[in-house]
Structures are given as structure tokens and as C-alpha cells.
Amino acid sequence: MDLHTPSTGGPLMAVELDNNIIIHWRPHSVPLRFRKMLITDLHYISNDIDEIAGGPHAVIVFTFFAHLVFHPITFYVFEVAKIRQSVVALLSRAPDTTVIIKSGNTTGRK
């Protein structure tokens, strides 16, 4: 679905009508690797999760790591803790929500 947004920065949306699937995609906030992006289009994953109602028909999938490898591991840990807090809150208000998390391997990072 054309939302008239940049393909690298989104937000983007895909709709599959046969199975009633809607996918919303947007990049995380800083640190970013895009050249230009409106500040209003920058969102932290934890803030986006806080705005989701959830429920038995909602599946939340997110991955984070690639843009965080250039920062200290403490920054990564802080971001993961904020996301965890939001996921716990989401599951307490809508326990039937499916949450899928993919992360990178931090072995060897200091």
C-alpha cells in the first residue's frame, strides 16, 4: 500500500486481503543509519508497543540490534530493558497477544 513515504524510512504498510493480514513497519528511533528522515517519523520501539491495544488477533514482531552494534553494550541493555517493560505492560493488558522478538548475538562485544 502506497503511503507516500520513503521506502527506506517508512512508515510502510502491507495488506493481504485473503487472510486479513495488515503489516505496519517503521524504523526505530536513534541511532539511525538513514541519511534524512523527519523527526516526527522517529519512534522508539517501547513507545510504539505502549500504543498497541493487543489481543488474540494481534501479533507483534520486532527485531533490534543491527544499528546498535556501533554503540556500547550498556546502550543496548538499556534499550532492551525499556522494550521489556513495554512488552510486560502489553501482555498484562492483553495477555492473548503474540509477541515475537529477534535479537542479535552480543558475544564478544564490550
Side-chain angles (χ1 to χ4, degrees):
M1 180 170 277
D2 187 1
L3 299 176
H4 305 288
T5 59
S7 61
T8 56
L12 303 175
M13 184 169 76
V15 177
E16 203 276 284
L17 297 174
D18 291 338
N19 294 299
N20 295 320
I21 298 172
I22 300 174
I23 299 172
H24 296 274
W25 178 88
R26 74 170 70 228
H28 56 78
S29 189
V30 292
L32 261 197
R33 307 286 293 181
F34 301 122
R35 287 185 177 179
K36 293 181 180 179
M37 187 168 200
L38 294 174
I39 195 154
T40 55
D41 289 336
L42 296 177
H43 298 261
Y44 286 102
I45 295 171
S46 56
N47 292 344
D48 284 340
I49 294 169
D50 290 341
E51 295 177 6
I52 296 172
H57 300 291
V59 178
I60 313 303
V61 180
F62 58 90
T63 182
F64 52 94
F65 182 72
H67 301 293
L68 300 174
V69 297
F70 303 107
H71 299 276
I73 192 73
T74 53
F75 182 81
Y76 178 78
V77 170
F78 179 75
E79 290 299 311
V80 170
K82 288 192 315 185
I83 292 167
R84 181 189 181 282
Q85 184 179 14
S86 294
V87 169
V88 167
L90 169 64
L91 293 175
S92 68
R93 71 178 174 269
D96 292 340
T97 305
T98 300
V99 178
I100 301 170
I101 304 167
K102 186 205 177 287
S103 181
N105 184 351
T106 58
T107 302
R109 297 292 301 166
K110 295 182 180 183

